[in-house]
Amino acid sequence: MTPYLAVEGLSRRFGGVVAVEGLTLALARGEVLALLGPSGSGKTTTLRLLAGFEVPDAGRILVDGEDVTARPPAGRRFGMVFQSFALFPHLDVAGNVAFGLETAPLSREARAARVRELLALVALAGLEHRAVDALSGGQQQRVALARALAPEPRVLLLDEPLSNLDPELRGRTRRELRDLIRRVGITTVLVTHEQDEAFELADRVAVLRGGRLEQVGTPDTLYAEPANAFVAAFIGQGSAVRARLVARSGADATLEVAGRAVPLQGARVAGPLAPGDAVLWFARPEALALAPEGAAPLAGLVRERRFLGATARFVVALDGAGEVEVQAAPAAVAVGARVGVTVRAPATGVHLFAEEG
């Protein structure tokens, strides 16, 4: 199937700095894709390239088979919601939404009807004449979204759309935004540095680092099947420990960690690892378990407990092997106690990568 929005080999440099390098992505019609990564990963530059605010050094952008790479922003029919919302304080709510229709060939009556339709869509009906400064942060975000949707864009671009909201408001507004995008059915690209936001809003997530695509997939896939150690560490929680691969038979392996043999059953092994290789052993907290010292392959000191309600995360400083986080019952053990650490079987939350990864 031909993708609705395609990015092919997109690159952008600023002097000697690589902002985006060889980025290739494909979105189906109506799909929501989140660009996720640390600061400097190329998320915002990618969005600006899509919007036409930046010109790529190489590559192209296609919408429904049409190459729009050389088109100015106004000629792409993309809607964009900025991080700051960029509302006009001298215009009321209706005036801000109507601004998105300035170039549309509509009569005054049709324009007013479209504004009413959009305000009803974002649950702001009756607030047409309200000053935008008098709105809450969540309401301002919905005005900005209505303005972006007013001219019926082909693609919606969202640049950190919830970052200016208070934490307690962010969760509710995130759910409202998700439901609205689903109702409209518009192809959407979202930039965020918040994993929860990306996972809740997007159908798929593209993880970027240094301007390059590390992996793209559903949230479930990224968590359960990370392509490399960076994705494993960036998505969700986990601990990385250096080890040596002693033996391997399919998904079963034996590691040497600080001179101790650690058996793994059903671990996910990335790449053609062989016995003797230096590896990075990455484990999710739920993949590990606490045990009495001496009854487990590894031992260490409980350095910290993080209470999470029904469960807790215990930070264990392993003897000669760094730290791991272990998920257990809140009262499982006291801080300062000596414990053993074992790997649950099957080790579905354990990943082995080549150490240089």
Side-chain angles (χ1 to χ4, degrees), residues 321-344:
E323 293 183 344
V324 293
E325 287 192 20
V326 184
Q327 183 168 301
V333 69
V335 173
R338 294 278 306 176
V339 296
V341 174
T342 188
V343 181
R344 298 182 187 276

Side-chain angles (χ1 to χ4, degrees), residues 142-163:
R142 282 183 274 158
V143 173
L145 187 60
R147 182 180 62 188
L149 293 173
E152 298 183 295
R154 297 185 290 181
V155 175
L156 179 64
L157 306 176
L158 303 176
D159 183 14
E160 301 273 9
L162 306 178
S163 62

Side-chain angles (χ1 to χ4, degrees), residues 91-98 119 124 127-132 135 143:
L91 298 177
D92 60 14
V93 169
N96 269 276
V97 177
L119 290 178
L124 292 177
L127 300 182
E128 290 87 342
H129 304 298
R130 183 76 59 88
V132 292
L135 301 178
V143 173

Side-chain angles (χ1 to χ4, degrees), residues 277-342:
D277 288 348
V279 298
L280 200 63
W281 169 43
F282 186 90
R284 303 290 183 191
E286 64 271 20
L288 303 177
L290 299 174
E293 185 178 12
L298 299 172
L301 178 73
V302 178
R303 192 179 61 79
E304 183 181 342
R305 186 193 77 146
R306 299 169 186 162
F307 180 71
L308 301 175
T311 63
R313 296 273 173 84
F314 294 86
V315 179
V316 180
L318 298 175
D319 297 339
E323 293 183 344
V324 293
E325 287 192 20
V326 184
Q327 183 168 301
V333 69
V335 173
R338 294 278 306 176
V339 296
V341 174
T342 188

Side-chain angles (χ1 to χ4, degrees), residues 3 5-11 22-26 58-62 67 69:
L5 174 63
V7 174
E8 299 179 350
L10 210 60
S11 296
L23 181 64
T24 295
L25 293 166
R60 61 180 189 158
I61 301 165
L62 298 97
D67 191 337
T69 312

Side-chain angles (χ1 to χ4, degrees), residues 114-125 142 145-146 149 176 179-180 183-184:
R114 179 63 177 161
V115 170
R116 289 194 298 271
E117 177 188 350
L118 265 297
L119 290 178
L121 180 67
V122 299
L124 292 177
R142 282 183 274 158
L145 187 60
L149 293 173
E176 293 171 350
D179 294 342
L180 177 59
R183 287 203 308 273
V184 175

